[in-house]
Amino acid sequence: MVEHFKNKEAEYEAWLQENSTGFVFNYFGTAANNKLHHARCGQLFRKDNVDSRTTLDKYCSDNYAELEAKVISLCDDKWSKCGLCYKSG
Ligand SMILES: [Zn+2]
């Protein structure tokens, strides 16, 4: 199941704690910034990093295939995987 969080800090943080092996997609609306992360990625927890902002549209799932399908429905191929939590591509 894909969950959507925006300005729901408590709910989002609870989800992260319960789904530490899941995935988080940050939807900025621009190809360069739309990023898919592992739920444990440090970028999501650095308060000085834009990827940690809870004012973003965040789509989260413990099921990678489901989340990827959602991401493609949102922005086609205009997104990428985080270079820090994914080794390549
Ligand atoms: Zn990441």
Side-chain angles (χ1 to χ4, degrees):
M1 176 180 173
V2 177
E3 308 260 11
H4 174 227
F5 300 103
K6 185 176 187 179
N7 296 317
K8 291 182 184 171
E9 187 150 0
E11 291 94 332
Y12 170 65
E13 292 198 350
W15 185 92
L16 274 182
Q17 287 192 355
E18 287 169 21
N19 297 277
S20 60
T21 60
F23 305 89
V24 175
F25 179 64
N26 276 329
Y27 184 44
F28 288 81
T30 57
N33 288 328
N34 293 334
K35 282 280 188 287
L36 183 61
H37 297 269
H38 284 297
R40 287 198 187 106
C41 179
Q43 296 296 100
L44 299 174
F45 299 95
R46 286 182 47 187
K47 292 300 180 194
D48 60 337
N49 190 287
V50 292
D51 289 295
S52 75
R53 287 186 194 159
T54 53
T55 51
L56 286 170
D57 283 295
K58 290 178 180 292
Y59 294 88
C60 304
S61 181
D62 59 356
N63 181 310
Y64 180 81
E66 260 185 13
L67 185 58
E68 189 183 64
K70 179 69 182 176
V71 168
I72 290 168
S73 79
L74 284 167
C75 45
D76 195 13
D77 62 353
K78 296 179 177 58
W79 61 281
S80 58
K81 293 173 179 174
C82 170
L84 294 172
C85 56
Y86 283 92
K87 295 229 160 144
S88 64

